[in-house]
């Protein structure tokens, strides 16, 4: 059962554009929502994360928007650069469940110069 | 501080064989989780070990098993390999300081398993 739905599957933007990746979850017990960035040949690395009591979080050029009532959250990348080309995974965690992380299916982002 | 290491990095097996993958967590990390990554399914949680005990398990058949040693190193075993087991197997470690706080998971580079 897919508990975290992620879209789009792939995304191509020009340098300086603002790619947006969306995720939706079903289980209201989730209480932590991280985003991971994965480059080819590497494991995923934590990019930014948010708790559901916050509607927005910014770290550098990366912003998470969170809508608790709609059970949706999204990642925005401001002023995107070719170096941001990677696969991005949203995830949801129930911290009372010994850190079992449920991942979205991933979005492959390509930023063209 | 060294990151999470996984060995081997690449592996080719045939159907019916079994395989053992190894993961060495970051020093001081007590929790090790395993994930299967495939293009169609993304990252699927296999299981998590803490202090040599399996605390959490995903929805995988019993052919997938694991263990953790006293030094926190972990192994994952897949018996009777099937073509569909071809995937990137990722290991992640975390401090796991408390049951109710999320600790960042640090991923290794993965083991690419190909089943022919």
């Amino acid at each position: 059962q897919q508990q975290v739905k992620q879209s789009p599957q792939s995304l191509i933007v020009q340098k300086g554009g603002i790619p947006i990746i969306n995720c939706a979850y079903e289980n209201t017990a989730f209480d932590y929502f991280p985003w991971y960035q994965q480059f080819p040949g590497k494991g995923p690395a934590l990019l930014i994360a948010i708790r559901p009591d916050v509607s927005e979080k910014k770290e550098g050029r990366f912003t998470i928007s969170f809508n608790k009532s709609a059970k949706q959250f999204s990642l925005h990348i401001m002023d995107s650069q070719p170096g941001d080309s990677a696969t991005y995974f949203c995830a949801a965690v129930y911290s009372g469940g010994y850190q079992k992380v449920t991942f979205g299916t991933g979005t492959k982002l390509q930023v063209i110069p | 501080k060294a990151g999470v290491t996984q060995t081997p990095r690449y592996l080719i097996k045939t159907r019916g064989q079994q395989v053992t993958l190894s993961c060495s967590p970051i020093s001081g990390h007590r929790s090790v989780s395993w994930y299967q990554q495939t293009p169609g399914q993304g990252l699927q949680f296999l299981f998590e070990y803490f202090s040599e005990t399996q605390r959490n398990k995903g929805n995988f058949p019993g052919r997938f098993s694991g263990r953790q040693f006293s030094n926190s190193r972990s192994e994952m075993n897949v018996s009777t390999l099937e073509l569909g087991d071809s995937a990137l197997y990722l290991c992640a470690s975390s401090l796991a300081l408390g049951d109710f706080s999320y600790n960042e998971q640090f991923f290794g580079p993965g083991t690419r398993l190909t089943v022919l």
Side-chain angles (χ1 to χ4, degrees), chain A:
Chain A
Q1 182 184 1
Q2 180 61 37
Q3 295 187 44
V4 179
K5 295 182 180 179
Q6 183 172 347
S7 63
Q9 189 173 4
S10 62
L11 193 52
I12 301 174
V13 299
Q14 286 202 314
K15 177 183 174 182
I18 305 177
I20 300 173
I21 304 171
N22 299 299
C23 286
Y25 63 97
E26 299 167 3
N27 189 346
T28 55
F30 289 139
D31 56 1
Y32 191 80
F33 300 88
W35 284 88
Y36 285 83
Q37 180 188 55
Q38 184 178 28
F39 293 104
K42 304 284 188 181
L46 181 65
L47 186 63
I48 185 174
I50 196 169
R51 295 198 179 274
D53 53 349
V54 176
S55 61
E56 184 177 277
K57 183 174 182 180
K58 292 183 181 180
E59 284 188 6
R61 295 184 293 106
F62 300 91
T63 299
I64 300 178
S65 297
F66 192 88
N67 186 330
K68 187 175 181 178
S69 61
K71 294 187 284 186
Q72 296 176 346
F73 57 110
S74 60
L75 176 70
H76 298 62
I77 305 175
M78 307 301 176
D79 187 28
S80 59
Q81 302 296 312
D84 296 330
S85 298
T87 299
Y88 293 81
F89 293 92
C90 63
V93 184
Y94 169 49
S95 56
Y98 298 119
Q99 304 172 42
K100 180 178 176 180
V101 184
T102 302
F103 284 88
T105 49
T107 296
K108 187 172 184 179
L109 171 66
Q110 184 180 357
V111 181
I112 54 178

Side-chain angles (χ1 to χ4, degrees), chain A residues 1-2 9 31-32 34 36 38 41-46 51 87 89 93-106, chain B residues 9 31 35 37 39-45 48 55-58 88 90 94 96 98-105 107-109:
Chain A
Q1 182 184 1
Q2 180 61 37
Q9 189 173 4
D31 56 1
Y32 191 80
Y36 285 83
Q38 184 178 28
K42 304 284 188 181
L46 181 65
R51 295 198 179 274
T87 299
F89 293 92
V93 184
Y94 169 49
S95 56
Y98 298 119
Q99 304 172 42
K100 180 178 176 180
V101 184
T102 302
F103 284 88
T105 49
Chain B
R9 291 293 310 277
S31 168
Y35 296 85
Q37 184 176 13
Q41 297 295 316
L43 285 94
Q44 302 286 309
F45 174 78
E48 186 235 355
R55 294 200 302 186
N56 228 329
K57 190 177 188 305
L88 180 68
L90 292 161
S94 68
D99 292 344
F100 298 101
S101 65
Y102 180 73
N103 293 270
E104 179 182 350
Q105 292 196 336
F107 283 83

Side-chain angles (χ1 to χ4, degrees), chain B:
Chain B
K1 186 181 264 189
V4 178
T5 58
Q6 291 187 246
T7 56
R9 291 293 310 277
Y10 302 91
L11 207 48
I12 299 175
K13 293 285 187 179
T14 57
R15 280 184 301 173
Q17 287 187 307
Q18 76 165 24
V19 65
T20 299
L21 313 181
S22 181
C23 171
S24 292
I26 292 172
S27 177
H29 285 196
R30 301 162 68 189
S31 168
V32 173
S33 298
W34 288 89
Y35 296 85
Q36 181 194 66
Q37 184 176 13
T38 57
Q41 297 295 316
L43 285 94
Q44 302 286 309
F45 174 78
L46 281 155
F47 27 67
E48 186 235 355
Y49 286 87
F50 178 83
S51 292
E52 303 178 64
T53 300
Q54 186 183 91
R55 294 200 302 186
N56 228 329
K57 190 177 188 305
N59 297 323
F60 278 80
R63 300 186 296 107
F64 292 82
S65 63
R67 59 177 176 170
Q68 186 181 34
F69 301 95
S70 58
N71 61 358
S72 293
R73 190 176 70 84
S74 177
E75 288 183 346
M76 190 192 93
N77 184 275
V78 187
S79 63
T80 319
L81 284 166
E82 300 177 359
L83 295 178
D85 296 334
S86 294
L88 180 68
Y89 289 88
L90 292 161
C91 163
S93 73
S94 68
L95 282 168
L97 293 175
D99 292 344
F100 298 101
S101 65
Y102 180 73
N103 293 270
E104 179 182 350
Q105 292 196 336
F106 293 84
F107 283 83
T111 294
R112 172 74 63 185
L113 172 64
T114 301
V115 182
L116 303 176

